[in-house]
Amino acid sequence: MRFEPTEIARLYGRSRVGVVVHKDLEAVYVNDAYAKMLGRRDVSDFMSDPDMRQYIPPSFHHEADKLSNSFQKSSGFHGWKKVYNIRTDGTPVWMEISDETVEWEGGNAVLTTAQMIDNGTTAMQVDHMLGRSFIGVMVHRNMTALYVNESFARLMGAKDVSAFMENPNILRFIPDENRPRAIRHVAAILSGERRGDRHRVRDILDDGSSVWRDLTDERILWYDGKPAILTTAHDVRDEVEMHQQLVRAKASLEQAVTEVIRMVPSAVAMLDDKLEVIHFNHEFSRLFGGETTDGAEPVFDISALHECCAEMMRNGHGHANIDEMQTPSGRLADIRMNMMDDGGVMVSATDITDHKRKEQMLDTLASTDALTRALNRRGFESAVSRLREIRHLKDKSWLFGLIVLDLDYFKDVNDTHGHAVGDRVLERVADTLRQALRDDDLVVRLGGEEFAVLLPSATAAVTKRIGERLSNMIREIRVPIDKSGTEYVNVTASFGATVGGEGRQKFIELSEAMKVADEAMYAAKDAGRDQLVFRFAGQEQDS
């Protein structure tokens, strides 16, 4: 594809999406949005020093040079990826970019489009979701705690979070002989070489006492844009102590097991050699037993445990695990089973239902826009991929209508009435789009005051009709300026629409359709705003 500087400026100069054209990582064109993403005042400030390596972390220079060189020698679109750049003031910025080889002034260059993303997990989000959890939670990097909740602080012997963070070095809790392995384990997770898993550790507290914990480690992006590890910890001292008591007091097994199991906070039970429950605590009864009356013994449904025990015996293993098992109570639990010398089985179960819900909520935060509750670009692309797979599984063609809209003169709303009113306008627009569309239609906030709507299976005629209806509904929005409710602000929007998928004798990808719709939207703005322009891919004239 051949581009001239004037054509690039016309297409992307006013775009909210950052655009840069570069050769050998030297910028030859940049729009204002990209310049500001990297911390420059404007295009002129950026082009005063066009070397793009200054924004790339040094450890990625070699990879960036290789990619840039290979893209210039090839052709076409090279896909989307997430990158980590450094602004001029040293702060990190995460961007989702696409690269495309274009012809530029007698040779090849790389056209890069960029959209800022916020995939980092913030301390505020973690604390809001997990701060009051009974599960211990810590975020750490390089053996230094960045965040702990109250449960974790108390688990590690501190009075509270503040007392714990006076000395955030967590290496001190690890016995000397285990430190090299722990350091390698943490480094491998931070670098992405391995995934975190559940494991049991013994830590030494500051007062010399020991604590046993079941841990899960997960690599996340912290608010500074850098990887960190989210660790959840369960106190299993009682469970470990129970096992040790069983080993030490084998002669009086029945009495010891009955008392210890009753006291353990997690679900624990002992099965005999016929796999019948002979000892259990209240938590095990809650997960695996039915409702009882008048103090009757519960009837347990442990058929899934029987299957696992049978396989464990056939294979000659002394232990087995079942992760995220659906228990008869409807709760999710991680199951651990160990074979005993007399043929019985010790079962422990950790209820992880609330933890999984919190994980799902964190995932939702990462895929939706916090202000409007619309999908962000990451969530949008994931949802489109799922819809496409579903259509293909049903042997149906993948067709879609796409509408891109940008609110007209929205900057004037913020400048005149303040950002609080502007935010309420954006919320109302997103609500209006959701209410007007079907359940399987997707609404995404692309950034700023720009939104997109994807309409699965919609034809060109349907897409135009829906676009006009949305335009009329947005035109009728009234947002109060103050508490009195006597004055209102109203907005209009410029719409660009197209269709994509497997129609018109050519497969049109979402990225291509997004570009066509975006160009049509800018054509609507150039034509006077508050209107809809529809274009097919490859079409030159508006319709």
Side-chain angles (χ1 to χ4, degrees), residues 7-80:
E7 184 181 12
I8 285 284
R10 180 178 66 81
L11 290 175
Y12 298 111
R14 293 178 296 172
S15 174
R16 297 294 190 274
V17 176
V19 176
V20 60
V21 180
H22 52 96
K23 291 184 177 182
D24 301 321
L25 293 180
E26 289 281 324
V28 295
Y29 168 82
V30 65
N31 70 352
D32 195 58
Y34 190 87
K36 291 180 178 178
M37 284 181 192
L38 275 301
R40 293 294 188 178
R41 292 190 306 274
D42 51 29
V43 170
S44 298
D45 185 29
F46 187 99
M47 294 303 290
S48 66
D49 184 6
D51 182 7
M52 296 175 62
R53 291 174 182 83
Q54 62 185 297
Y55 308 110
I56 303 172
S59 57
F60 295 106
H61 280 185
H62 179 68
E63 182 182 5
D65 281 329
K66 280 201 313 182
L67 287 176
S68 177
N69 184 54
S70 66
F71 289 169
Q72 283 180 219
K73 293 179 180 178
S74 60
S75 62
F77 180 72
H78 307 294
W80 292 88

Side-chain angles (χ1 to χ4, degrees), residues 239-253:
E239 186 175 340
V240 171
E241 178 62 20
M242 179 190 72
H243 178 70
Q244 293 173 346
Q245 286 188 28
L246 289 175
V247 172
R248 291 193 302 263
K250 193 173 181 180
S252 57
L253 181 62

Side-chain angles (χ1 to χ4, degrees), residues 389-398:
E389 290 174 0
I390 291 171
R391 297 291 295 180
H392 286 167
L393 287 173
K394 294 181 178 180
D395 292 328
K396 295 182 179 180
S397 298
W398 169 239

Side-chain angles (χ1 to χ4, degrees), residues 74-89:
S74 60
S75 62
F77 180 72
H78 307 294
W80 292 88
K81 55 184 173 292
K82 293 179 175 63
V83 299
Y84 167 51
N85 284 170
I86 303 295
R87 294 189 180 99
T88 53
D89 62 359

